[in-house]
């Protein structure tokens, strides 16, 4: 994906060990289609050289407000006017304090102060020792900077260069990239609660065996990410898959259909949108054995009896919240043929306003897919694209249906 195509960033580095991560971040931004102008404070130059950042960004690095390379000698004006955002990564505790006071005695803080606040957002990736992070002064500064319009991207937790362990590490470049991409997505579901089920379920036969299916969970995880990008609070109830949790999403791991139902129903009580992408097993073994079933050498295979699993989507779609229109339910149908007819029938059977059809065998495990949207008005093809692009498209379709034109 080129999620940042056409975007231009000023990447500001203040002083901190995390400057080494800024090199990787610079590459990641460029790989995603952005152009990057690096600006470094004097303290940052103690940790990484402008040569490295120049080579990675393909542009001269600016380190001083007195830099005479600009014809008008005003790099703080020229460079900030071109940017779609100023991203300070790492943002040290000292640099935050400078921003808070509107200091302007070195190029990076001068540029942050001189930027047109309505047009050039300021994104901060803090990086500091855990005690510095927890200090009331830092917390107070962050609250005020947020009130002043800066977006603070959060910190990671773990082992720190000083040898201590705790909060305050700069987020890893892939995490920052995910947050930056999210920052630029339209906030179509701001303030909404979105609930997603994803992945297969696993129905135990005994402690070491079970029945499952080939669902990768990728579509559901992409929908959870797209919903969070759109400004929603997202809960993802995931069957057994090994995918990373999208940034900012609350994940509940489950195994069986019964567990998925038990995790989903209470969450649906406060959700505004429910998207059921999980490939829930239709049946489970009626009696799962507590002990491993042994081969007894007789040549006779054990006889398994099955019980039908609860239909999670149909259960939620029948709830009072869904019936009153406060919860918008979306189902998925993975079919092997007759997609339109099967998807229309499934929409009616599940009692949902929107059903998304796809050809199952063509999409299981893949990174792309093609969708068919089925609602009361008819059907609409969404052409083949990456699952994340489709997920963003679907979130826009959901948002549009939740807010019908006045
Ligand atoms: O009935 P079928 O499995 O084809 O329906 C697919 C849709 O219903 C998907 O949205 C799936 O997540 C949901 N579903 C469910 N609980 C089940 C079976 C399916 O939520 N037991």
């Amino acid at each position: 994906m080129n999620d940042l195509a056409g975007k231009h960033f000023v990447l500001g580095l203040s002083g901190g060990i995390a400057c080494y991560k800024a090199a990787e971040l610079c590459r990641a931004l460029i790989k995603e289609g952005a152009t990057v102008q690096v600006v470094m404070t004097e303290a940052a130059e103690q940790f990484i050289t402008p040569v490295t950042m120049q080579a990675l960004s393909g542009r001269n690095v600016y380190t001083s407000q007195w830099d005479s390379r600009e014809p008008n000698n005003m790099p703080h004006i020229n460079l900030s006017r071109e940017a779609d955002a100023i991203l300070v990564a790492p943002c040290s505790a000292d640099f935050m304090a400078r921003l808070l006071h509107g200091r302007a005695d070195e190029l990076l803080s001068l540029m942050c102060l001189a930027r047109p606040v309505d047009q050039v957002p300021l994104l901060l990736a803090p990086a500091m020792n855990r005690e510095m992070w927890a200090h009331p002064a830092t917390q107070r500064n962050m609250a005020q900077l947020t009130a002043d319009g800066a977006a603070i991207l959060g910190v990671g937790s773990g082992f720190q260069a000083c040898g201590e362990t705790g909060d305050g590490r700069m987020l890893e470049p892939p995490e920052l990239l995910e947050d930056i991409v999210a920052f630029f997505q339209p906030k179509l579901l701001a303030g909404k609660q979105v609930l997603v089920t994803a992945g297969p379920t696993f129905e135990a036969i005994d402690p070491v065996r079970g029945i499952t299916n080939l669902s990768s969970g990728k579509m559901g995880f992409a929908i959870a990410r797209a919903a969070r990008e759109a400004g929603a609070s997202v809960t993802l109830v995931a069957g057994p898959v090994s995918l990373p949790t999208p940034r900012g999403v609350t994940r509940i791991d489950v195994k069986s259909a019964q567990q998925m139902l038990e995790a989903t129903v209470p969450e649906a009580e406060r959700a505004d949108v429910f998207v059921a992408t999980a490939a829930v097993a239709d049946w489970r073994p009626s009696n799962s054995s507590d002990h491993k079933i042994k081969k007894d050498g007789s040549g006779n295979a054990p006889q398994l009896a099955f019980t039908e699993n609860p239909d999670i989507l149909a259960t939620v779609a029948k709830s009072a919240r869904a019936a009153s229109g406060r919860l918008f339910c979306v189902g998925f149908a993975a079919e092997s043929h007759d997609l339109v007819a099967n998807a229309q029938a499934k929409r009616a059977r599940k009692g949902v306003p929107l059903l998304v059809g796809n050809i199952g065998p063509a999409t299981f495990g893949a990174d792309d897919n093609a969708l068919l949207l089925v609602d009361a008005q008819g059907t609409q093809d969404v052409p083949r694209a990456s699952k994340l692009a489709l997920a963003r498209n679907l979130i826009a379709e959901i948002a549009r249906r939740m807010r019908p034109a006045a």
Side-chain angles (χ1 to χ4, degrees), residues 34-289:
T35 49
V36 178
Q37 173 61 59
V38 176
V39 176
M40 295 170 68
T41 65
E42 201 183 326
E45 287 185 79
Q46 299 291 322
F47 295 92
I48 189 170
T49 69
V51 177
T52 300
M53 298 309 293
Q54 178 178 350
L56 291 174
S57 65
R59 289 177 178 236
N60 288 319
V61 171
Y62 284 73
T63 58
S64 163
Q65 73 273 42
W66 311 120
D67 194 321
S68 60
R69 283 174 295 182
E70 292 294 300
N72 61 357
N73 219 313
M74 295 187 195
H76 64 295
I77 302 292
N78 303 350
L79 302 185
S80 65
R81 298 303 182 271
E82 294 169 350
D84 291 293
I86 298 179
L87 166 64
V88 183
C91 183
S92 66
D94 179 64
F95 196 76
M96 271 190 197
R98 304 176 66 78
L99 285 175
L100 182 90
H101 288 285
R103 295 283 297 272
D105 55 357
E106 57 79 40
L107 180 60
L108 186 56
S109 49
L110 170 61
M111 191 179 288
C112 292
L113 190 70
R115 81 190 203 282
V117 281
D118 297 334
Q119 291 150 40
V120 184
L122 178 61
L123 280 66
L124 307 178
M128 65 199 75
N129 163 269
R130 66 190 175 108
E131 299 292 356
M132 294 165 75
W133 172 254
H135 196 284
T138 302
Q139 295 296 318
R140 194 167 59 232
N141 290 351
M142 281 209 305
Q144 186 58 52
L145 287 169
T146 305
D148 290 349
I152 298 184
L153 299 175
V155 291
S157 190
F159 182 73
Q160 301 197 311
C162 51
E164 298 178 5
T165 301
D167 292 341
R169 285 162 51 126
M170 187 165 90
L171 294 173
E172 298 305 316
E175 296 172 318
L176 286 172
L177 188 70
E178 202 173 318
D179 283 357
I180 294 161
V181 167
F183 180 84
F184 287 103
Q185 291 297 318
K187 301 298 169 225
L188 299 172
L189 293 180
K192 301 287 183 200
Q193 300 268 350
V194 173
L195 174 63
V196 181
T197 62
T201 63
F202 178 89
E203 310 299 333
I205 294 172
D206 67 18
V208 296
R209 304 185 184 93
I211 295 168
T212 186
N213 60 63
L214 288 176
S215 167
S216 66
K218 285 181 179 172
M219 192 67 216
F221 275 59
I223 290 170
R225 173 174 170 176
R228 182 259 176 172
E229 287 179 342
S233 299
V234 183
T235 301
L236 173 62
V237 180
V241 292
S242 54
L243 296 172
T245 311
R247 293 270 307 147
V249 166
T250 304
R251 174 172 179 170
I252 304 174
D253 282 320
V254 297
K255 275 195 173 154
S256 66
Q258 189 58 36
Q259 289 170 350
M260 190 174 270
L261 177 81
E262 285 161 18
T264 302
V265 166
E267 291 291 332
E269 282 300 308
R270 49 198 168 88
D272 302 296
V273 179
F274 174 47
V275 187
T277 69
V280 183
D282 290 319
W283 304 281
R284 64 175 179 275
S286 304
N287 298 304
S288 121
S289 165

Side-chain angles (χ1 to χ4, degrees), residues 197 276-282 309-313 331-333 346 349-350:
T197 62
T277 69
V280 183
D282 290 319
N309 268 330
D311 190 317
I312 301 166
L313 176 59
F332 265 69
K346 193 157 292 182
R349 202 164 63 240
K350 301 275 178 179

